Amino acid sequence: THGVVPEHFTLYKEVQKYWYQWDAYARICLLVAILHFVHSLAFYGLGHINVELRCFWVAYAVGFLLMVLHGLLMNFDLINAGNKEL
């Protein structure tokens, strides 16, 4: 029949109510980890390009672009999308 939902689908739906807090916590932890990684790439780029290549403007441009990426990641993941439910 068309309208019948399998039993394991409804059981899974009921269980999902209990772990959404951990899902939100995991998303926050991954966001913070990615932001730290992007920030560390910016600092590494500043140091490496300045020391190895002596190209100061290139180092500043790379740092600037990575900080723009940092800001965009924060904006895209933390923005309030009109109180839409997840």
Side-chain angles (χ1 to χ4, degrees), residues 57-78:
W57 290 108
V58 175
Y60 298 147
V62 168
F64 174 75
L65 289 176
L66 286 169
M67 288 301 102
V68 168
L69 174 64
H70 190 276
L72 288 174
L73 284 170
M74 285 181 52
N75 212 9
F76 290 150
D77 206 25
L78 300 178

Side-chain angles (χ1 to χ4, degrees), residues 29 63 79:
C29 288
I79 194 167

Side-chain angles (χ1 to χ4, degrees), residues 3-71:
V4 178
V5 177
E7 182 184 3
H8 67 282
F9 282 15
T10 56
L11 290 173
Y12 194 74
K13 183 179 176 182
E14 291 298 317
V15 172
Q16 278 182 327
K17 293 178 186 176
Y18 298 107
W19 77 61
Y20 73 91
Q21 300 96 343
W22 289 281
D23 185 42
Y25 181 74
R27 284 188 64 194
I28 292 170
C29 288
L30 284 173
L31 173 67
V32 169
I34 290 171
L35 292 178
H36 278 86
F37 182 69
V38 170
H39 213 125
S40 67
L41 282 177
F43 277 114
Y44 177 77
L46 280 172
H48 178 72
I49 295 170
N50 280 333
V51 170
E52 289 287 327
L53 304 176
R54 302 280 187 206
C55 297
F56 295 104
W57 290 108
V58 175
Y60 298 147
V62 168
F64 174 75
L65 289 176
L66 286 169
M67 288 301 102
V68 168
L69 174 64
H70 190 276

